[in-house]
Amino acid sequence: MSSDERPVGQRQYLTFFLGDEQYAVGVLGVKEIIEYGIVTKVPATPPYIRGVINLRGSVVPVVDLSVKFNLPVHPVSRRTCIVIMETTILGERATMGIVADSVNQVIEFSPQDIEAAPAFGTGIRLEYLEGMAKIGTKFVLVLNMDEILSSADAPVLPAAGAQTAQQAAAAAREAQIS
């Protein structure tokens, strides 16, 4: 089915895995998917911020959702990648990287396919979820990345001040040189 034939309200989502659990994010926020490479650790950032990468000269913070969601962290493998997303943080557009153990597929859901997440059992704060959608016999958690990355407990680099961003940029440049 072409995009012109897509039923009204149908949206596309990128699905990916964190461990054995499948998650989905709207493809409109996804800029690209890159191989997991050099990530430079930045001092005084929360544990779920893996660090920053140099993406064509831009400093991009990398968030590990496994840590943020208190899930087991899996070692980096050949399937581990970084999903580069554009999101809104404190009212401004920002580019962020999200670590995924593996990327699965792009799938379409209509608003009727996405049910409200139950108030128990997901292990993730409800405001981080758009809902749950069924794929076969399993459910995928549909994430609200704007909420996850801009929540009060998420002092990510764009909101941390110019000093931290400059330090992160210098660290990323240093990592490229070495």
Side-chain angles (χ1 to χ4, degrees):
M1 175 181 307
S2 75
S3 61
D4 294 338
E5 300 168 353
R6 185 176 301 128
V8 176
Q10 194 93 11
R11 285 188 53 200
Q12 293 184 322
Y13 293 85
L14 173 71
T15 61
F16 61 93
F17 284 91
L18 299 176
D20 295 330
E21 293 300 317
Q22 191 169 196
Y23 298 85
V25 294
V27 295
L28 294 178
V30 176
K31 292 179 70 173
E32 62 185 293
I33 301 166
I34 62 173
E35 183 179 349
Y36 190 93
I38 297 172
V39 177
T40 304
K41 190 76 177 139
V42 179
T45 56
Y48 58 84
I49 304 286
R50 281 236 179 141
V52 295
I53 60 171
N54 181 344
L55 184 65
R56 292 181 290 285
S58 295
V59 175
V60 176
V62 177
V63 175
D64 189 333
L65 293 179
S66 293
V67 174
K68 187 158 180 71
F69 297 160
N70 293 315
L71 300 171
V73 177
H74 290 79
V76 173
S77 73
R78 64 177 186 79
R79 297 191 59 167
T80 305
C81 57
I82 299 174
V83 179
I84 304 297
M85 301 199 62
E86 192 167 278
T87 188
T88 302
I89 299 176
L90 300 174
E92 294 188 26
R93 297 304 292 165
T95 301
M96 303 286 294
I98 305 299
V99 176
D101 292 329
S102 65
V103 171
N104 190 23
Q105 65 182 332
V106 172
I107 192 163
E108 293 184 354
F109 295 124
S110 68
Q112 300 88 314
D113 295 331
I114 300 176
E115 300 175 20
F120 61 90
T122 64
I124 298 174
R125 292 171 43 178
L126 289 179
E127 61 268 21
Y128 290 171
L129 299 175
E130 286 184 20
M132 298 176 76
K134 195 170 188 180
I135 298 179
T137 59
K138 294 187 84 173
F139 282 98
V140 58
L141 295 175
V142 181
L143 301 175
N144 179 336
M145 293 309 297
D146 286 349
E147 187 65 36
I148 291 169
L149 297 175
S150 66
S151 65
D153 71 332
V156 293
L157 293 176
Q163 179 81 14
T164 305
Q166 288 171 352
Q167 290 170 343
R173 282 192 298 275
E174 184 66 31
Q176 288 291 49
I177 294 169
S178 25

